[in-house]
């Protein structure tokens, strides 16, 4: 079994790198942000304030989330519906950030993530993978990149999906979201003590993958 945790703020390049590492090693890539986005999406469709813990907690039992892995990567199925890219819209990012600070939401999603990592070889990315979900991971990476680099990447990513956004709005949203994620009481988005801090502003994906595989072999 191989278990790799990749944490870091939004736009730090986690998903690109985690996907490439998973492909190189022939194991699955688990995008845990998609789970918080799914809760955010459902809260949004129900017209609930994502900061209202009691209201959010009350609707959690209505949600049946399944993750499926195949050729196209990870798919999230909510109550039988494949959500596709609906959870990628900028409003959903903010809803996801708000609901992710609620202890009941984190508790709701905890076992699903832990059991995935127990039963499969995984590269898992998120904010608390090295600290909470896989504290005994074979390798923990905390990715960083400058705010501008991250906002620039996120803008390109959204535009490529046909979502019309402005760089300035993406940057402002990202800074607000990072602050929420870092300063929350439960599972704040911080590096585990034994994580390797990895700045990938300037490295190519290929170089980063090689470096991670080398670090993994060193530790295994
Ligand atoms: O990685 P992302 O942008 O898709 O994540 C969406 C939100 O979910 C983000 O604001 C932080 C939160 N999140 C979290 O709290 N813990 C995780 N393991 C993954 C994401």
């Amino acid at each position: 079994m191989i278990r790799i945790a990749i944490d870091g703020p939004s736009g730090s390049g986690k998903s690109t790198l985690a996907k490439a590492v998973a492909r190189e090693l022939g194991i699955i890539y688990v995008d845990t942000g998609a789970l918080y986005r799914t809760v955010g999406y459902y809260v949004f469709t129900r017209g609930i304030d994502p900061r209202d813990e009691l209201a959010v907690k009350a609707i959690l039992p209505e949600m049946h989330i399944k993750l499926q892995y195949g050729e196209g990567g990870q798919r999230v199925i909510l109550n039988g519906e494949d959500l596709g890219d609906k959870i990628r819209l900028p409003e959903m990012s903010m809803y996801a950030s708000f609901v992710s600070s609620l202890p009941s939401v984190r508790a709701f999603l905890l076992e699903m993530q832990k059991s995935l990592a127990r039963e499969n070889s995984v590269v898992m990315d998120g904010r608390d993978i090295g600290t909470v979900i896989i504290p005994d991971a074979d390798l923990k990476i905390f990715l960083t990149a400058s705010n501008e680099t991250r906002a620039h990447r996120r803008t390109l990513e959204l535009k490529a999906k046909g979502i019309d956004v402005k760089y300035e709005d993406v940057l402002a949203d990202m800074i607000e979201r990072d602050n929420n994620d870092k300063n929350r009481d439960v599972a704040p988005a911080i590096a585990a003590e034994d994580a390797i801090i990895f700045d990938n502003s300037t490295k190519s994906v290929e170089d980063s993958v090689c470096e991670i595989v080398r670090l993994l072999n060193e530790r295994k």
Side-chain angles (χ1 to χ4, degrees), residues 7-11 14 31-37 87-88 92-101 106 113 125-129 133 154 177-178 180-181 184 186-189:
D7 289 299
S10 54
K14 293 186 305 287
D31 164 12
T32 63
L35 295 171
Y36 293 93
R37 287 172 178 272
I87 56 172
R88 303 286 155 201
M92 294 313 133
S93 302
M94 213 43 105
Y95 267 73
S97 181
F98 284 129
V99 298
S100 72
S101 70
R106 302 208 75 86
Q113 297 172 81
D125 82 7
R127 304 293 189 291
D128 62 342
I129 310 305
I133 307 296
R154 195 31 70 105
R177 218 146 61 84
D178 286 352
N180 292 344
D181 297 345
R184 64 183 177 222
V186 262

Side-chain angles (χ1 to χ4, degrees), residues 72-100:
Q74 172 179 293
R75 293 192 309 152
V76 186
I77 316 293
L78 172 65
N79 296 340
E81 183 198 353
D82 184 342
L83 293 183
D85 277 343
K86 281 185 193 165
I87 56 172
R88 303 286 155 201
L89 295 168
E91 298 92 294
M92 294 313 133
S93 302
M94 213 43 105
Y95 267 73
S97 181
F98 284 129
V99 298
S100 72

Side-chain angles (χ1 to χ4, degrees), residues 13 16-18 20-21 23 200 203-211:
T16 307
L17 183 59
V21 171
R23 197 177 315 116
N200 86 345
K203 285 191 194 97
S204 71
V205 177
E206 293 75 27
D207 287 350
S208 300
V209 172
C210 284
E211 177 76 7

